[in-house]
Amino acid sequence: MSSIQISSPSVKESYKYTSISRLWPGLGGQNGTAHHSESPIALSLTHLARAVSEILKHLSDPLLQFSLLPHNISKIQSIGGLDAFQNFPEHLSLEGPQQIYHYQLLSTQSHSNFFNLLVRSTLSQPAIVNLYAVIDPGKNVEIQLDCVSQQAFPLTVNVVFVVLEGGHLHVNQVLRGCGLMRCNIFVILHGEGSQSHFNGVVLSGQETHHDLALEVRHLARETRSLQKVRILGWDASVSAFGGKIFVAPQAPLSEAYLEARSLALSEESFIYGRPFLEIYTDNVRCSHGYTTGSLDENALHYLRCRAIPEQIARQLLIQAFVKDIFPSSAVNTYPQYLISILENHICNAVA
Amino acid sequence: MIPIEQKPLLEIRNLTAGVESKPILRGLNLTIYAGETHVVMGQNGSGKSTLSYVLAGKPDYVVMEGEIWFKGKNLLEMSPEARAGEGLFLAFQYPIEIPGLSMGTFLKTAVNEVRAYRGLPSLDARTFLALQREKLAELGLSSDIMGRSVNEGFSGGEKKKNEILQMAMLDPDLAILDETDSGLDLDAIKQVTAGILKMKNSQRAFLIITHYPQIVEYLQPDKVHIMINGRIEYSGGIELAALLEKEGYEYFKLQSYQN
């Protein structure tokens, strides 16, 4: 048995919340128009079941269905509002049992082809956050995921993206905070010609344990995915990365690339990495690679020879190491949000 | 002609240095005054690049004996960034690629750090851009490189010109150019040389490490040195480079052994 209660924010603020009203137009908005709401909206089991069925339609693997979809839910509450920008305020606290579910059917009710979604979950007690999103045929969706655990509680983040025919998914993610955090990300390229691009950064420090598990499943022909992951380990932190590319028999002419690199920034930090490739068809292009190392002393010396003090030089190099994977975008400024988080984190860590 | 009372800009006395416990430089002496251009030539492995790294303060190079004085200060007591702030610049033989760090950010940080070291205010964006445009144009570089990562994907010529661009922006008192002419085509050598010549003045000195007499011809240095086995064995004018081109290093090595 599990239920969730979310207290109303104690301070008025201007966040917009995305509701599940794309799945259930009668909820959380009037006639589908956008609005702000700071009150939780209670959803019945019927509503949840409908959401689950939407996701299930796109998950062909029974094992995956079982492991990712919610069980034993008696009650769920969510925060209302309708917008493609989603954010939990930092002072939001969870008082009861510890699961949050987000469901997004991105772009189904819009005429636009391009969407941005920012999901930031800041939690102050043990919790599981689940995000399920379906990218409609031919739509471009860019998602920024900022996963933070604020105290030394275990936090699990489960994310499932299902990309339909010709859909393009671009995810930028930062995993950070204290305590034990596990992030499972499944990208399911379900439709022919669908594409995904995942950029992930793990920031570990002090005595944190951060675990990122990424699985990209190519289930249709001519699908394409590119995964880039950077891990920074400070202090006595432990980081683990498992990256798996799965190419199904029905996915010929697909391309999949995984490139993960990590920097051990102290002698006490541990970083584990395991890239996997599972290919069950011919005529595909795939590669995977993982490296671990320390900061390039030659690059550090190069910057210092240009009068840049050692501490600033280290900051610049570490920032360069992670920012390298975030492409500059002329049409989208949301990655800048994550980049500023990275810059601040690195400045503080190096200082 | 150097006035008698002028103090050396750089003075190296009996320098023995190397990597770990293996000496590469063995009792090297060199004195450079402001306004001079010196060229150091030598075979591969003779210690030319080691000299440049020791001067720039590369951490894995150890000074076992000797002294280095720069503008009357003990260079060996300074960090690499302090050396750069004081006005020592090294153009690297193999410029480092730094993916993710844009040239614009890098160069602006470097320029403002040098200015901060010298007690000058940071350049505002407008002034910096004007300076950058001017220097890029002089070297025939496109302003596009400022948006690219440092040296990443640069051609060999672009990398070397980028070093000269940094030199021009940082306004050093002593510029050490470690085989900046290597791997450049004739036109690029001329452009790089023009950049150096434009910066020559009575306050600034150059120490140019090269294998090729061509750049000696272009630059008309005040002194040419030949390095053998970690020491400067021969010093002279540009005629020394001409003799070297004619006779080769073996001739000088033989002379050295006979002496």
Side-chain angles (χ1 to χ4, degrees), chain A residues 261 296-299 301-312 316-317 319-321 323-324, chain B residues 56-59 79-81 84 89-90 92 96 98-101 106 110 113-114 151 163 166 170:
Chain A
R261 294 167 60 195
D296 183 351
E297 292 296 327
N298 288 326
H301 180 246
Y302 188 74
L303 296 191
R304 293 179 73 189
C305 281
R306 300 301 180 250
I308 299 174
E310 183 175 0
Q311 185 175 315
I312 296 173
L316 288 173
L317 289 176
Q319 286 172 358
F321 178 78
K323 283 164 65 178
D324 180 37
Chain B
K58 197 158 192 264
S79 64
E81 53 267 38
F89 178 89
L90 169 63
F92 282 67
I96 308 290
I98 309 177
L101 177 60
F106 163 61
E113 288 295 342
V114 164
N151 290 320
E163 293 294 293
Q166 292 168 45
L170 295 182

Side-chain angles (χ1 to χ4, degrees), chain A residues 105-119:
Chain A
L105 274 185
L106 295 167
S107 74
T108 48
Q109 296 182 352
S110 170
H111 301 298
S112 172
N113 281 324
F114 190 85
F115 282 86
N116 268 297
L117 173 69
L118 173 65
V119 180

Side-chain angles (χ1 to χ4, degrees), chain B:
Chain B
M1 195 70 181
I2 306 299
I4 294 169
E5 66 276 13
Q6 188 180 346
K7 289 182 179 173
L9 183 67
L10 177 77
E11 190 171 15
I12 303 174
R13 296 179 198 152
N14 193 32
L15 181 67
T16 299
V19 180
E20 295 177 346
S21 58
K22 183 189 170 195
I24 298 170
L25 302 178
R26 296 176 170 90
L28 184 141
N29 293 290
L30 178 66
T31 302
I32 299 175
Y33 290 88
E36 288 185 338
T37 299
H38 289 231
V39 167
V40 173
M41 305 178 83
Q43 281 183 305
N44 293 326
S46 60
K48 304 184 301 297
S49 290
T50 299
L51 172 62
S52 70
Y53 287 142
V54 170
L55 288 172
K58 197 158 192 264
D60 35 357
Y61 284 78
V62 182
V63 173
M64 297 146 193
E65 200 181 337
E67 299 170 9
I68 306 177
W69 296 89
F70 179 60
K71 294 162 79 174
K73 296 176 183 172
N74 187 348
L75 194 77
L76 297 177
E77 290 180 350
M78 295 182 201
S79 64
E81 53 267 38
R83 298 176 194 207
E86 284 290 341
L88 189 144
F89 178 89
L90 169 63
F92 282 67
Q93 183 181 0
Y94 303 109
I96 308 290
E97 294 185 7
I98 309 177
L101 177 60
S102 77
M103 273 298 301
T105 302
F106 163 61
L107 210 47
K108 192 166 186 189
T109 306
V111 167
N112 285 332
E113 288 295 342
V114 164
R115 292 180 65 84
Y117 187 92
R118 296 171 188 173
L120 299 169
S122 295
L123 288 183
D124 60 71
R126 184 186 293 259
T127 312
F128 177 81
L129 284 172
L131 179 67
Q132 175 188 295
R133 261 197 297 271
E134 177 196 329
K135 303 299 179 190
L136 283 168
E138 284 174 9
L139 287 163
L141 282 167
S142 161
S143 59
D144 292 349
I145 73 158
M146 303 313 290
R148 290 162 63 186
S149 294
V150 176
N151 290 320
E152 190 189 35
F154 284 26
S155 68
E158 281 178 326
K159 282 183 181 174
K160 297 298 176 81
K161 285 182 189 175
N162 186 22
E163 293 294 293
I164 302 299
L165 170 70
Q166 292 168 45
M167 178 176 78
M169 296 287 287
L170 295 182
D171 193 24
D173 294 320
L174 173 64
I176 304 159
L177 280 66
D178 188 1
E179 297 194 28
T180 301
D181 53 341
S182 296
L184 295 182
D185 61 41
L186 280 175
D187 290 350
I189 289 178
K190 280 182 183 171
Q191 274 180 315
V192 165
T193 312
I196 297 167
L197 287 172
K198 192 155 191 169
M199 287 186 67
K200 278 181 84 167
N201 62 37
S202 60
Q203 303 301 313
R204 184 175 289 129
F206 290 88
L207 175 61
I208 292 159
I209 295 167
T210 184
H211 280 296
Y212 306 108
Q214 204 166 27
I215 199 164
V216 178
E217 192 182 315
Y218 288 143
L219 287 177
Q220 295 290 307
D222 300 288
K223 284 187 179 168
V224 174
H225 308 281
I226 294 177
M227 235 173 130
I228 295 170
N229 199 23
R231 292 162 61 99
I232 289 177
E233 293 285 359
Y234 294 93
S235 296
I238 52 173
E239 72 282 354
L240 199 58
L243 184 61
L244 177 65
E245 190 179 17
K246 184 181 170 193
E247 303 289 348
Y249 286 111
E250 288 304 319
Y251 169 80
F252 286 92
K253 281 170 86 172
L254 190 62
Q255 296 287 321
S256 175
Y257 292 136
Q258 285 174 351
N259 294 334

Side-chain angles (χ1 to χ4, degrees), chain A residues 128-140:
Chain A
I128 300 174
V129 178
N130 304 284
L131 169 65
Y132 304 97
V134 178
I135 289 79
D136 274 358
K139 300 292 184 182
N140 290 312

